[in-house]
Amino acid sequence: MPAEACTDLRHPPPPPRPRRKAPGAALAAALTAALLLGACGGGGGDSRATPDGGDDRASSLSLTPPAAGELLDAVRRTLRDRAAAGEGGLALVGSGIAPVAATPVGGAESPAHSTSAVQEAGVDEPDLLKTNGQHLYALHVGSGNARNARLAVHERTAEGALRSSGTLMLDGDAYFNPGLGGLLLHPQRPLLAVLSEVWQRHDVCTQDCPRQPMLTGDPQAGWLQQWVGVQRVDVAGPGVPQAGKRVLVEGQMVGARQVGDTLVVVTTHRPWLRVDNWPTPMNDTQREAALQGMTAGELLPRVRVGNQPERLLVEEDQCLMQRGNASLSVAFTTVTVFDLGNADMPFTSRCFYGGTEAVYMTPTHLYVATTRMAYVPRANQILYPEDMSTDIHRFELPQEPGGHLRYHASGGVQGHLGWDPLHKSHRLSEWNGDLRVLTFTGRNGWAVLADAQQRTKPPSPARLTVLRQTSNATLQTVATLPNTQRPQHIGKPDEQVHGVRFDGPRGYVVTFQQVDPLYVLDLSDPTDPFVAGELEVPGVSDHLYTLGGPEAGLLLGVGREVNEQGLLGGVLVSLFDVSDPAAPRQLAALAFGDNTTQTALDHSRQGINWLDRAGSSRIALPATTRVGGGWLEWHSALQRFEVDLAARSLRALPALNEATLSMDEADISLQRSVQVGDHVYFLRGDLLTGHLW
């Protein structure tokens, strides 16, 4: 899912480049993304307070409605403080995966099929390929031209073959380089929601900017507005899918989740500010005049519904405030809740002043994590403040379609959620009403996996915090790990946390520097969590999944092999026996490819696909490997693995649809797979193929 990127507040951000990337350049892309995010921060909390403070701390964390004029005053105060802090004071904010059992969603006759990899069962996440067992729905990005993006619908025959049943061209209007955020398939109704991210030029410097003639033709004279599009699509009848209501929300997408008829879209909006975009340096008088002339309408995000005129998405009194927010960033996070079951797709929005790090959702609650201070890139590292902390806000989802999101409580934890936007939401997990959060409390983070092997970089220790809502709208800390009674650290010197997986009363954590210690956490007593077991094996698992249900006691890891010299090699798929939490064991480890090999998991949480069926788990994973020493040709295939749940064994099957492709054709970010019955379907760019397992 798209994560937030940082931008300089003084200049408009450039439109994103087309999504086609060299698969072998994924490490470099990840480094770039990490460094962009590293200059982030802001969002909530008083940086001078401690996470475990008393009533004053709770008061500073809570989100409350603003008094008349209070929101504008807070923005003015932030801008004054930022001006006083100078360039170094800029602080911006940067923006989970569980197996889901095969479910016959399409009706009693629908064959067993896999779903997108999601963090919580029953909470769907956007993806490029979806199925209900009877039809397959694929998003094709095309060449980057808005009008080339399309939704293709394929009907599956009784023999497993695919038959095209319609294509809907997705109109991008006059937007720059649109990106598809994915599609969501309703679990009971024949309808889809298609998410997109688009940019449009917004000329703001028209009448009141000094030296206007000198700005003519200057791209800095305009502002590139970013919008998140939500398109309802009816797929009930045969033929071309029917486009329904379309809504554009101003801002950058942080995350989207769906439960039944309810679609939740979280965006962050950074307004164009005259005080930051004045063509000449402002003196104090000009700055104060600009601040006093500012209105709430200039700050708050806007919305477009169909062909209706643009209007404010939220009013000033709908935007909650965190009075302890000491960030120097001017950003607004908006949670918009759509009723997909209604053809008119009505929606309601709530807003709070501040940026967002991550979004995590259960079938009943939404959690939004915010960072309260800046963190910056330094070489290939990310440098965090010594007292880094994270605030978490809890909302209750509407109890019925068309209802309103309700704010519940806020809490704070020490540390941060890590450096990789793909993994941040995995650091949160709710179980029996308690929220478990795994944070890092060190100052340094590694931008990419390979940097972990440079021993000059200290680790970022892991800290587990369990939060419980109290009667005064506070998420109170009820336990931490390590603690004085249980001092064992999660991770060793020179190691840092990579894979994290919560599964009910268990937690699984992988740390890495050269070997792969797997920690099994016993979370059955939320007031007394502890490390139940530990296992050291070569390599690293960056992604963790439980297979066969809790009773199976099997854990799958996907990561990298490491040779005797400590250098990263090919992709490593490992199977662990965690049935005895005190004595975890590695049952198998299979590697493929080399250090240039990339998988779809390097770009998306939905990159892997599996199906529990007839005593086995079938796993499909798109992958590409560079051919020779150049960057122009890539070997692409759908890698397959099978776990025998009874024999507790892992084996590799021959890869499917192998081909040598150009760099664009082999774009790993556009590859997905799903399984239906005894067939597996492979989406590679604009081509969807079916194969017998």
Side-chain angles (χ1 to χ4, degrees):
M1 282 288 50
E4 289 205 281
C6 299
T7 56
D8 189 320
L9 284 171
R10 300 164 302 165
H11 304 295
R17 296 181 178 179
R19 292 184 57 191
R20 298 189 180 277
K21 298 181 285 292
L27 280 180
L31 172 60
T32 301
L35 293 185
L36 282 173
L37 290 169
C40 300
D46 185 347
S47 60
R48 296 173 294 274
T50 59
D52 296 323
D55 293 339
D56 290 342
R57 173 64 181 168
S59 175
S60 71
L61 288 175
S62 297
L63 299 177
T64 56
E70 187 179 6
L71 181 63
L72 269 172
D73 287 343
V75 175
R76 293 185 182 113
R77 185 168 57 252
T78 297
L79 294 173
R80 292 187 188 104
D81 291 345
R82 201 169 70 201
E87 292 292 327
L90 293 182
L92 302 177
V93 66
S95 73
I97 299 185
V100 177
T103 306
V105 176
E109 297 182 359
S110 295
H113 61 276
S114 62
T115 64
S116 297
V118 296
Q119 187 172 356
E120 289 287 342
V123 182
D124 197 16
E125 302 182 25
D127 202 358
L128 300 179
L129 180 64
K130 297 278 188 179
T131 184
N132 60 10
Q134 298 172 338
H135 292 83
L136 279 76
Y137 307 92
L139 279 181
H140 301 288
V141 177
S143 64
N145 184 319
R147 289 170 174 80
N148 283 346
R150 68 188 191 278
L151 167 67
V153 181
H154 299 269
E155 184 180 3
R156 183 179 180 272
T157 68
E159 295 76 25
L162 294 179
R163 181 169 54 213
S164 177
S165 60
T167 299
L168 175 65
M169 303 305 294
L170 299 170
D171 188 0
D173 303 322
Y175 297 110
F176 293 94
N177 293 328
L180 292 179
L183 60 86
L184 295 124
L185 175 62
H186 196 286
Q188 286 88 32
R189 305 174 189 267
L191 63 88
L192 300 165
V194 180
L195 303 179
S196 59
E197 294 184 278
V198 296
W199 300 69
Q200 186 181 45
R201 184 179 180 85
H202 175 55
D203 293 319
V204 294
C205 214
T206 54
Q207 298 179 356
D208 53 355
C209 290
R211 300 169 58 193
Q212 173 67 21
M214 296 186 66
L215 293 174
T216 303
D218 184 349
Q220 301 299 331
W223 177 260
L224 294 179
Q225 287 177 291
Q226 190 165 6
W227 300 81
V228 172
V230 180
Q231 173 78 67
R232 189 181 189 273
V233 180
D234 187 343
V235 291
V240 177
Q242 300 300 307
K245 182 65 70 69
R246 184 184 187 210
V247 176
L248 289 168
V249 174
E250 188 178 16
Q252 191 169 12
M253 187 156 68
V254 181
R257 303 289 188 270
Q258 180 184 355
V259 176
D261 288 336
T262 301
L263 170 63
V264 178
V265 178
V266 182
T267 54
T268 293
H269 167 65
R270 295 187 183 86
W272 183 90
L273 299 170
R274 186 185 311 180
V275 71
D276 280 317
N277 291 277
W278 203 259
T280 57
M282 273 188 171
N283 59 40
D284 292 343
T285 301
Q286 289 173 321
R287 176 175 293 277
E288 193 59 32
L291 292 177
Q292 293 302 322
M294 196 163 50
T295 66
E298 298 175 51
L299 299 174
L300 297 173
R302 307 184 75 80
V303 64
R304 293 178 180 176
V305 180
N307 295 323
Q308 298 176 15
E310 180 180 306
R311 61 176 173 82
L312 283 178
L313 176 65
V314 291
E315 298 295 336
E316 184 177 358
D317 60 0
Q318 295 175 301
C319 198
L320 303 174
M321 294 184 60
Q322 190 180 43
R323 287 170 174 78
N325 190 340
S327 167
L328 298 181
S329 172
V330 177
F332 296 85
T333 294
T334 306
V335 182
T336 303
V337 180
F338 296 87
D339 178 6
L340 295 180
N342 188 320
D344 289 332
M345 202 168 68
F347 61 89
T348 59
S349 297
R350 291 302 303 266
C351 163
F352 67 83
Y353 178 39
T356 302
E357 281 282 302
V359 171
Y360 164 69
M361 198 169 102
T362 73
T364 56
H365 293 110
L366 171 74
Y367 294 91
V368 179
T370 66
T371 300
R372 67 187 67 173
M373 53 193 73
Y375 47 99
V376 297
R378 184 163 296 179
N380 287 342
Q381 299 175 261
I382 297 173
L383 186 64
Y384 298 92
E386 291 184 0
D387 57 348
M388 189 76 177
S389 55
T390 299
D391 297 331
I392 298 171
H393 310 290
R394 179 179 182 175
F395 298 83
E396 183 182 21
L397 297 179
Q399 299 301 303
E400 56 186 26
H404 291 268
L405 190 78
R406 293 177 54 205
Y407 168 67
H408 262 199
S410 296
V413 296
Q414 291 182 0
H416 50 88
L417 296 176
W419 57 97
D420 186 346
L422 288 179
H423 290 307
K424 286 187 178 184
S425 64
H426 296 173
R427 312 318 193 199
L428 295 89
S429 170
E430 181 189 277
W431 186 61
N432 290 343
D434 293 326
L435 181 69
R436 293 86 61 90
V437 186
L438 188 76
T439 55
F440 312 103
T441 56
R443 295 199 66 199
N444 297 77
W446 297 311
V448 295
L449 191 60
D451 292 334
Q453 298 167 304
Q454 300 184 30
R455 295 178 180 274
T456 58
K457 300 175 181 179
S460 179
R463 175 185 174 93
L464 178 76
T465 305
V466 182
L467 299 172
R468 179 175 296 168
Q469 183 172 339
T470 64
S471 58
N472 64 343
T474 301
L475 294 176
Q476 184 70 39
T477 298
V478 297
T480 59
L481 187 70
N483 54 57
T484 53
Q485 284 73 38
R486 299 191 182 274
Q488 181 180 358
H489 287 279
I490 307 172
K492 296 179 172 60
D494 297 326
E495 292 178 353
Q496 191 158 300
V497 171
H498 285 268
V500 177
R501 181 79 183 98
F502 290 100
D503 186 24
R506 296 270 189 92
Y508 305 100
V509 180
V510 166
T511 63
F512 171 70
Q513 205 281 331
Q514 186 167 342
V515 297
D516 178 347
L518 168 66
Y519 294 87
V520 181
L521 307 182
D522 188 324
L523 310 175
S524 56
D525 181 353
T527 65
D528 185 26
F530 62 93
V531 177
E534 177 185 343
L535 172 68
E536 286 193 9
V537 292
V540 58
S541 292
D542 209 29
H543 308 268
L544 298 173
Y545 312 92
T546 53
L547 297 180
E551 66 282 353
L554 292 174
L555 186 70
L556 185 78
V558 180
R560 290 281 176 177
E561 61 178 345
V562 179
N563 64 18
E564 295 179 355
Q565 289 74 41
L567 300 177
L568 294 178
V571 176
L572 182 67
V573 179
S574 304
L575 183 66
F576 301 96
D577 183 340
V578 291
S579 56
D580 181 357
R585 298 184 298 132
Q586 186 181 66
L587 300 173
L590 304 176
F592 67 90
D594 57 29
N595 61 357
T596 69
T597 301
Q598 299 296 313
T599 75
L601 279 174
D602 292 315
H603 293 270
S604 172
R605 295 188 294 266
Q606 285 72 42
I608 195 171
N609 170 261
W610 68 95
L611 178 65
D612 290 342
R613 180 175 171 83
S616 68
S617 286
R618 298 173 175 178
I619 301 148
L621 182 62
T624 58
T625 302
R626 193 171 67 192
V627 175
W631 291 85
L632 298 181
E633 290 187 328
W634 297 82
H635 176 268
S636 175
L638 183 66
Q639 302 291 334
R640 296 183 300 151
F641 300 87
E642 194 164 297
V643 175
D644 187 316
L645 299 177
R648 310 178 79 73
S649 62
L650 170 71
R651 67 185 180 112
L653 279 66
L656 294 175
N657 205 353
E658 296 185 82
T660 299
L661 304 172
S662 69
M663 186 167 57
D664 281 353
E665 293 172 322
D667 185 353
I668 193 67
S669 70
L670 302 180
Q671 298 186 21
R672 299 290 191 275
S673 65
V674 295
Q675 298 178 54
V676 183
D678 290 325
H679 287 77
V680 59
Y681 300 91
F682 180 25
L683 176 65
R684 183 162 55 195
D686 290 342
L687 183 64
L688 179 64
T689 57
H691 312 267
L692 272 171
W693 183 263

